[in-house]
């Protein structure tokens, strides 16, 4: 009896604490309404709830607080369970994809083992034969050619679908053998690791005709939607100028055959654009998978003859396409194959690596398609949120318009209204004008702008070859340090085209770029390989009476390829002036830079200098190494830089604008050359990174002298020497965190820098090649120069001196702060003065 009373007392206390409160459906409904508005109500809000809802009057405020806590916990658990289910579906689909990929690789290995055995047998048979059967072999080979003639398809008429259906079936079989079979030897691209959140599995071809790339991935869209997106190629393929469906034929199995003509842009000014005449076949397989396959129609494949266009080179698309399969639980698995022949022999030799690169094809076409589908899938599911109140589709349109406008400027097609004008005797910069009103169609500036405008658009463009300059690093520098290459006055003139009365005369100023820029992000792709942003250029550095320059300017800017770890990535910086309204149909005249890496070649000596591409075309690759001299560790990255700037003009000042544009592009080229030399990795850095290479004898000796002199004068070690060998000392000195610079000691001349470690080169923003052009008095500020003059006698007598922290200037006029500097006299083996060494500690850019 006592136990029962004690249990009842405990239950009563628990109920008093609110742990066993049962709510009626009406009470739950009232609480749910409040939770939908405010998941975490305050104490006053809970009291107000009890007063407003009589059905909750018998529940204490503490109990309601507990209900909301439990409700938030259940919501959190539900979201976590949903997320885990989504991840589980992705992992299951990825596991299925990897198993299929493993099966395909096993088939490829079996095929290679069979081919290897067959070749061994043939070699053994050939070596065992001692008699000369050359005549007989010729006869036999001729018989084989007669017995196995090359298949020639009849020239089917465009109105005869039967013949086109036969070509479509052959295309389908060839495509599937590449997508899931071993028809092409695929090699997975470095850095493309499969996973539930990765772009997918990306591979490129090895030793096949043309260039080919393959990608597999998962998307959370149904197959029909994926097919619709992929078939709209101009929406995601930035190099697609136009895609016209000439004819459509239905097939008996429910599919469709389309005859299509596509034109693509040339990536640089030094090569012709390409066009394709293709057959596209859309059908459904027996397992329900959707297939969209495509190939060119040529004399060997048969089919009708397609249209032709001047200034285009006809390229061939070998069987390619998309295999789209549905996943359990929703979503799709996509297999993409692109296989094309770009007629590499029609381009200059220096550009052929670009047209022979499967990696470039994978980046520009194959992964671009997969990324676009993934981007739309994430936008549809609400995973991507952009600021500024813009819809994702509108922002994508801005990116497409920027790329298309820049491509139009680079290519300058005659049918778009472009026509070249004469040069000034030097062909480094090409000038073209476009006076067609179609250039401005689709813009709300038409009616107000064209009557006053009465002119057109002028484009100044140039191409050059960069040596040993990482494209991602250069584009990132150009984006972040616009003042190093841009002219504020020219930007103001470009922005004037957005006004009702554009300026008649360019207002380029010798003052350069005195103002600052603020980058405002708008959108980015899922893997952050592309950024869309607004750049505000502040004009407060000019007097208010200079209306043209004193106001702020805005640029819509697209930046891509800034990831240095991306393989074969094209880096690009494209921008166009916009006004404050930033309307969806705003006029855009894009200008910018495009840097395309060429596959490293061992037949061109490494250099840190920027070369003019025209000279490279004339000289060719005549510096080939002898056999056995190729060094795989030698850093020899080449890339093609294309620059294009567009300006508006009025007819009566067209020649003045042309002179301004030509000179401005030349100035930009010189600035880019200077920047490229400053950020190019030095040869010494590359050589020290290889264990098989050592530095030059002079550098080894100098490193030993610096360490010995520093220890002798300061009675401390510059760094802990891990090895007594000269090569080890040089490597430690080279990778030291403090900036170490050596300069000459001359009585009748200004000290000139002769050596710097990597930190010193980074601080001065230069290279070992350009270091000797920098003088010490140009680096130190006025107070630093005065202090050095005061301490110079002490340095020569005592051997060293401590210099307080201060400011120095890099070769690109950027201020650099340092906490302390040590000036030390370097002695040679005969204890004679060799040079001065400066150690700048804890330096950083201001």
């Amino acid at each position: 009896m006592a136990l029962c009373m004690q249990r009842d007392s405990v239950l009563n206390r628990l109920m008093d604490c609110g742990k066993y409160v049962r709510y009626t459906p009406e009470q739950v409904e009232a609480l749910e309404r409040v939770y939908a508005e405010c998941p975490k109500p305050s104490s006053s809000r809970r009291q107000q709830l009890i007063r407003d809802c009589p059905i909750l009057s018998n529940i204490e405020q503490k109990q309601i607080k507990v209900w909301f806590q439990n409700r938030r916990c259940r919501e959190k658990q539900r979201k976590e369970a949903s997320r885990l289910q989504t991840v589980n579906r992705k992992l299951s689909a990825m596991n299925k994809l990897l198993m299929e990929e493993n099966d395909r690789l096993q088939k490829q290995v079996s095929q290679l083992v069979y081919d290897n055995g067959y070749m061994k047998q043939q070699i053994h048979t050939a070596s065992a034969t001692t008699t000369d059967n050359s005549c007989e072999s010729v006869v036999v080979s001729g018989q084989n050619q007669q017995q196995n003639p090359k298949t020639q398809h009849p020239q089917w008429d465009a109105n005869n679908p039967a013949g086109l259906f036969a070509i479509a079936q052959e295309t389908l079989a060839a495509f599937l053998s590449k997508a899931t079979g071993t028809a092409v030897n695929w090699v997975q691209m470095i850095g493309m690791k499969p996973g539930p959140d990765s772009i997918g599995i990306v591979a490129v071809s090895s030793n096949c005709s043309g260039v080919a790339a393959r990608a597999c991935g998962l998307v959370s869209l149904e197959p029909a939607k994926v097919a619709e997106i992929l078939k709209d190629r101009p929406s995601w393929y930035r190099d697609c100028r136009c895609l016209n469906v000439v004819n459509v034929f239905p097939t008996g199995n429910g599919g469709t055959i389309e005859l299509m003509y596509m034109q693509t842009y040339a990536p640089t000014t030094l090569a012709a654009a390409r066009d394709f005449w293709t057959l596209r076949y859309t059908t459904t397989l027996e397992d329900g998978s959707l297939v969209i396959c495509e190939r060119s129609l040529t004399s060997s494949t048969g089919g009708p003859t397609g249209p032709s266009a001047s200034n285009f080179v006809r390229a061939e698309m070998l069987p390619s396409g998309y295999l789209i399969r549905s996943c359990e639980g929703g979503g799709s698995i996509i297999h993409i194959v692109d296989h094309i022949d770009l007629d590499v022999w029609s381009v200059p030799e220096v550009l052929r690596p670009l047209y022979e690169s499967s990696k470039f094809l994978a980046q520009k076409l194959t992964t671009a398609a997969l990324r676009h589908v993934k981007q739309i899938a994430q936008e549809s599911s609400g995973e991507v949120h952009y600021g500024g109140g813009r819809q994702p589709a509108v922002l994508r349109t801005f990116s497409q318009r920027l790329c298309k406008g820049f491509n139009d400027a680079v290519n300058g097609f005659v049918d778009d209204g472009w026509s070249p004008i004469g040069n000034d005797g030097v062909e480094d910069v090409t000038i073209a004008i476009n006076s067609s009103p179609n250039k401005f169609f689709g813009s709300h500036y038409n009616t107000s702008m064209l009557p006053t405008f009465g002119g057109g658009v002028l484009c100044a463009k140039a191409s050059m070859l960069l040596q040993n300059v990482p494209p991602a690093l250069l584009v990132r520098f150009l984006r972040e340090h616009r003042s190093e290459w841009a002219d504020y006055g020219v930007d103001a003139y470009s922005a004037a085209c957005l006004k009702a009365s554009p300026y008649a005369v360019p207002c380029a100023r010798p003052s350069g770029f005195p103002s600052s820029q603020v980058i405002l992000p708008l959108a980015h792709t899922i893997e952050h390989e592309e950024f869309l942003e607004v750049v505000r250029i502040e004009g407060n550095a000019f007097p208010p009476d200079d209306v043209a320059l004193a106001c702020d300017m805005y640029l819509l800017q697209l930046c891509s390829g800034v990831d240095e770890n991306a393989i074969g990535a094209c880096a690009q910086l494209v921008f166009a002036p916009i006004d404050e309204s930033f309307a969806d149909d705003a006029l855009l005249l894009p200008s910018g830079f495009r840097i395309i890496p060429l596959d490293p070649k061992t037949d061109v000596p490494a250099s840190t200098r920027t070369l003019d591409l025209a000279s490279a075309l004339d000289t060719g690759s005549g510096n080939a190494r002898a056999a056995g001299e190729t060094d795989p560790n030698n850093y020899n990255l080449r890339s093609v830089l294309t620059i294009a700037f567009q300006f508006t003009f009025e007819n009566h000042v067209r020649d003045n604008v042309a002179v301004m544009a030509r000179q401005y592009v030349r100035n930009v080229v010189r600035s880019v050359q200077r920047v490229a030399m400053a950020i190019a990795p030095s040869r010494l850095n590359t050589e020290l990174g290889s264990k098989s290479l050592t530095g030059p004898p002079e550098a080894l000796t100098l490193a030993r002298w610096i360490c010995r002199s520093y220890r002798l004068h300061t009675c401390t070690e510059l760094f802990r020497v891990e090895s007594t060998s000269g090569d080890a000392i040089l490597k430690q000195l080279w990778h030291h965190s403090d900036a170490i610079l050596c300069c000459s000691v001359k009585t009748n001349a200004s000290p000139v820098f002769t050596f710097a470690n990597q930190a010193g080169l980074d601080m001065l923003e230069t290279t070992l090649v350009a270091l000797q052009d920098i003088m010490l008095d140009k680096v130190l500020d006025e107070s630093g120069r005065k202090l050095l003059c005061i301490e110079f006698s002490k340095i020569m007598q005592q051997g060293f001196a401590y210099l307080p922290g201060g400011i120095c200037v890099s070769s690109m006029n950027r201020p650099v702060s340092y906490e302390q500097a040590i000036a030390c006299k370097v002695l040679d083996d005969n204890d004679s003065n060799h040079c001065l060494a400066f150690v700048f500690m804890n330096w950083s850019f201001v």
Side-chain angles (χ1 to χ4, degrees):
M1 185 70 177
L3 291 175
C4 291
M5 293 177 63
Q6 184 178 4
R7 184 180 59 186
D8 292 341
S9 176
V10 171
L11 288 175
N12 290 333
R13 285 199 304 270
L14 289 175
M15 293 185 66
D16 291 341
C17 295
K19 291 189 177 182
Y20 290 94
V21 176
R22 292 184 178 274
Y23 297 91
T24 64
E26 293 79 9
Q27 291 174 331
V28 172
E29 182 181 357
L31 291 172
E32 287 287 352
R33 284 198 302 268
V34 177
Y35 181 84
E37 299 176 359
C38 180
K40 194 174 182 179
S42 61
S43 176
S44 59
R45 179 71 183 274
R46 292 194 298 269
Q47 293 176 0
Q48 181 69 27
L49 175 63
I50 294 175
R51 289 194 297 268
D52 295 343
C53 297
I55 58 176
L56 300 176
S57 58
N58 62 334
I59 302 178
E60 297 181 0
Q61 182 182 349
K62 183 179 180 180
Q63 295 171 341
I64 293 179
K65 179 180 179 181
V66 172
W67 185 91
F68 275 98
Q69 290 175 346
N70 295 337
R71 181 65 178 83
R72 291 194 299 270
C73 183
R74 290 195 302 270
E75 181 70 17
K76 184 178 180 180
Q77 291 175 346
R78 184 189 64 80
K79 291 181 178 180
E80 181 65 14
S82 176
R83 187 188 67 82
L84 292 176
Q85 290 177 358
T86 302
V87 173
N88 183 61
R89 286 196 300 268
K90 288 183 178 181
L91 290 174
S92 299
M94 181 60 69
N95 180 61
K96 179 181 179 181
L97 189 62
L98 291 174
M99 291 177 64
E100 293 175 353
E101 184 70 8
N102 184 56
D103 293 340
R104 188 193 65 80
L105 291 174
Q106 288 181 353
K107 293 179 183 179
Q108 185 174 348
V109 169
S110 301
Q111 183 67 31
L112 292 174
V113 170
Y114 173 79
D115 293 342
N116 186 43
Y118 178 77
M119 291 299 297
K120 286 183 177 180
Q121 183 181 1
Q122 291 294 104
I123 293 174
H124 178 73
T125 303
S127 62
T129 304
T130 56
T131 57
D132 185 9
N133 297 324
S134 59
C135 294
E136 182 180 355
S137 64
V138 172
V139 174
V140 172
S141 64
Q143 292 176 352
N144 291 335
Q145 289 179 2
Q146 293 178 1
Q147 293 174 1
N148 301 295
K150 187 175 181 180
T151 303
Q152 291 287 339
H153 299 276
Q155 290 290 326
W156 299 101
D157 185 73
N159 297 320
N160 187 356
L164 297 178
F165 183 70
I167 299 176
Q169 290 294 103
E170 292 180 2
T171 305
L172 174 63
F175 160 68
L176 292 177
S177 66
K178 297 176 184 178
T180 60
T182 59
V184 174
N185 183 21
W186 299 112
V187 179
Q188 186 170 336
M189 287 184 65
I190 300 174
M192 294 292 184
K193 295 181 179 180
D197 297 321
S198 68
I199 188 64
I201 305 173
V202 182
V204 294
S205 60
S206 175
N207 298 326
C208 74
S209 61
V211 290
R214 174 178 174 268
C216 312
L218 309 173
V219 293
S220 57
L221 294 175
E222 295 304 314
K225 180 63 176 178
V226 174
E228 177 187 350
I229 296 172
L230 292 175
K231 293 180 75 171
D232 186 15
R233 191 173 292 159
S235 68
W236 54 265
Y237 183 31
R238 298 289 174 79
D239 287 347
C240 180
R241 186 193 181 209
C242 64
L243 179 66
N244 300 323
V245 178
V246 178
N247 214 335
V248 181
F249 302 93
T251 60
N253 59 359
T256 57
I257 294 176
E258 299 166 284
L259 300 181
M260 303 192 308
Y261 177 67
M262 180 177 69
Q263 292 180 347
T264 61
Y265 292 105
T268 179
T269 60
L270 297 161
R274 264 54 181 169
D275 63 351
F276 297 83
W277 169 243
T278 61
L279 176 147
R280 185 167 70 184
Y281 178 38
T282 305
T283 186
T284 304
L285 302 181
E286 295 180 355
D287 61 356
S289 301
L290 267 175
V291 176
I292 306 169
C293 55
E294 187 174 357
R295 78 176 304 168
S296 289
L297 296 177
T298 63
S299 58
S300 60
T301 61
T305 303
S308 60
S310 59
N311 301 324
F312 282 85
V313 174
R314 179 60 51 88
E316 180 180 2
M317 180 181 294
L318 303 171
S320 308
Y322 317 105
L323 171 62
I324 311 167
R325 296 179 297 170
S326 60
C327 293
E328 296 180 3
S332 305
I333 298 177
I334 311 175
H335 295 258
I336 302 177
V337 173
D338 292 304
H339 193 177
I340 59 178
D341 185 351
L342 294 171
D343 190 9
V344 66
W345 301 108
S346 64
V347 299
E349 183 178 356
V350 71
L351 293 179
R352 287 176 189 172
L354 177 62
Y355 288 79
E356 295 172 335
S357 173
S358 296
K359 296 176 183 177
F360 185 71
L361 174 70
Q363 187 231 0
K364 297 293 288 184
L365 188 59
T366 313
T367 59
L370 194 55
R371 283 193 175 102
H372 183 73
V373 176
K374 282 181 170 287
Q375 184 80 23
I376 293 182
Q378 290 195 4
E379 292 172 357
S380 302
S381 62
E383 299 179 35
V384 180
H385 301 282
Y386 298 137
R390 300 278 178 171
Q391 294 296 323
V394 175
L395 297 176
R396 281 201 309 271
T397 302
F398 276 123
S399 300
Q400 294 166 5
R401 291 177 58 197
L402 284 173
C403 285
K404 183 175 177 59
F406 185 71
N407 280 323
D408 284 334
V410 170
N411 286 261
F413 294 115
V414 176
D415 55 352
D416 280 342
W418 291 100
S419 59
I421 63 176
N423 55 52
D424 58 354
V426 182
E427 298 183 355
D428 57 338
V429 178
T430 302
I431 302 291
I433 60 172
N434 191 337
S435 301
S436 172
N438 296 329
K439 182 72 176 173
F440 304 96
F441 280 175
S443 168
H444 70 281
Y445 292 99
N446 286 348
T447 56
S448 62
M449 180 178 181
L450 283 178
T452 306
F453 194 170
V457 176
L458 181 145
C459 178
K461 48 192 174 182
S463 292
M464 55 194 297
L465 183 69
L466 299 177
Q467 197 84 1
N468 287 358
V469 180
L473 185 59
L474 179 56
V475 163
R476 193 162 65 243
F477 189 94
L478 295 174
R479 170 178 174 262
E480 298 173 357
H481 305 281
R482 186 179 181 87
S483 60
E484 296 296 337
W485 56 268
D487 185 286
Y488 189 88
V490 175
D491 284 337
Y493 174 75
S494 299
C497 69
L498 306 176
K499 309 297 181 182
S501 300
Y503 306 125
V505 180
C507 55
R509 302 292 180 87
S511 55
F513 200 98
S515 193
S516 60
Q517 66 173 4
V518 179
I519 297 179
L520 309 173
L522 279 180
H524 58 78
T525 51
I526 54 178
E527 291 190 331
H528 294 264
E529 75 278 355
E530 186 176 273
F531 301 88
L532 182 67
E533 53 202 12
V534 172
V535 180
R536 185 177 78 238
I537 303 175
E538 299 174 345
N540 49 21
F542 291 95
D545 55 347
D546 198 341
V547 181
L549 300 179
C551 58
D552 292 348
M553 291 181 295
Y554 296 87
L555 300 174
L556 182 64
Q557 183 166 274
L558 183 70
C559 182
S560 60
V562 295
D563 183 8
E564 295 183 58
N565 297 321
I567 305 298
C570 167
Q572 187 170 264
L573 182 68
V574 179
F575 48 87
I578 56 173
D579 64 2
E580 297 84 350
S581 64
F582 192 18
D584 292 347
D585 59 346
L587 169 69
L588 298 179
L589 287 179
S591 304
F593 308 87
R594 175 182 293 153
I595 311 171
I596 307 173
L598 303 175
D599 283 343
K601 291 290 184 179
T602 57
D603 58 351
V604 180
S607 172
T608 56
R609 295 194 177 275
T610 304
L611 305 178
D612 179 43
L613 191 51
S615 62
L617 296 175
D618 294 337
T619 58
S621 58
N623 297 320
R625 290 172 177 256
E629 293 181 359
T630 300
D631 179 12
N633 295 317
N634 195 11
Y635 191 86
N636 190 18
L637 174 66
R638 299 185 306 166
S639 53
V640 177
L641 168 65
T642 299
I643 303 174
F645 283 82
Q646 296 192 80
F647 304 94
T648 57
F649 67 89
E650 294 182 352
N651 287 329
H652 65 281
V653 293
R654 190 195 75 174
D655 294 339
N656 293 338
V657 176
V659 172
M660 181 274 296
R662 182 179 286 110
Q663 186 59 43
Y664 181 60
V665 170
R666 286 173 179 167
N667 292 337
V668 171
V669 168
R670 284 193 290 268
S671 300
V672 171
Q673 288 176 332
R674 180 167 52 87
V675 171
M677 291 195 70
I679 66 176
S682 65
R683 289 290 304 278
L684 182 59
N685 186 26
T686 305
E687 293 174 355
L688 292 178
S690 173
K691 295 182 179 180
S692 61
L693 295 175
T694 59
E698 298 82 0
L700 299 176
T701 304
L702 180 60
R704 182 170 53 84
W705 288 349
I706 293 174
C707 295
R708 186 176 67 89
S709 301
Y710 188 90
R711 181 176 61 251
L712 177 65
H713 299 313
T714 65
C715 298
T716 58
E717 296 286 350
L718 181 60
F719 50 79
R720 182 181 177 183
V721 179
E722 299 176 355
S723 175
T724 57
S725 64
D727 184 40
I729 295 175
L730 177 58
K731 288 184 179 180
Q732 285 185 262
L733 182 73
W734 179 258
H735 294 292
H736 200 276
S737 59
D738 293 333
I740 302 175
L741 303 100
C742 295
C743 66
S744 60
V745 182
K746 298 180 180 180
T747 57
N748 298 326
S750 299
V752 176
F753 288 109
T754 57
F755 173 81
N757 66 346
Q758 183 61 64
L761 296 178
D762 294 341
M763 186 184 76
L764 295 182
E765 295 185 288
T766 186
T767 64
L768 285 176
V769 176
L771 181 66
Q772 298 179 4
D773 297 331
I774 302 175
M775 293 184 293
L776 178 62
D777 56 356
K778 298 296 184 182
V779 172
L780 299 177
D781 60 1
E782 185 177 356
S783 61
R785 289 193 296 269
K786 290 181 179 179
L787 184 61
L788 183 60
C789 291
I790 296 173
E791 298 288 341
F792 184 76
S793 59
K794 180 180 177 181
I795 296 172
M796 300 308 294
Q797 294 175 5
Q798 184 177 322
F800 78 103
Y802 289 101
L803 306 178
I807 299 292
C808 61
V809 183
S810 72
S811 63
M812 303 180 70
N813 295 324
R814 295 178 65 191
V816 181
S817 66
Y818 56 92
E819 289 186 4
Q820 189 184 44
I822 299 177
C824 178
K825 181 174 61 174
V826 178
L827 305 177
D828 59 15
D829 291 331
N830 298 324
D831 289 337
S832 301
N833 297 334
H834 178 73
C835 65
L836 283 180
F838 291 87
V839 181
F840 293 91
M841 301 178 181
N842 297 330
W843 63 272
S844 63
F845 289 104
V846 179

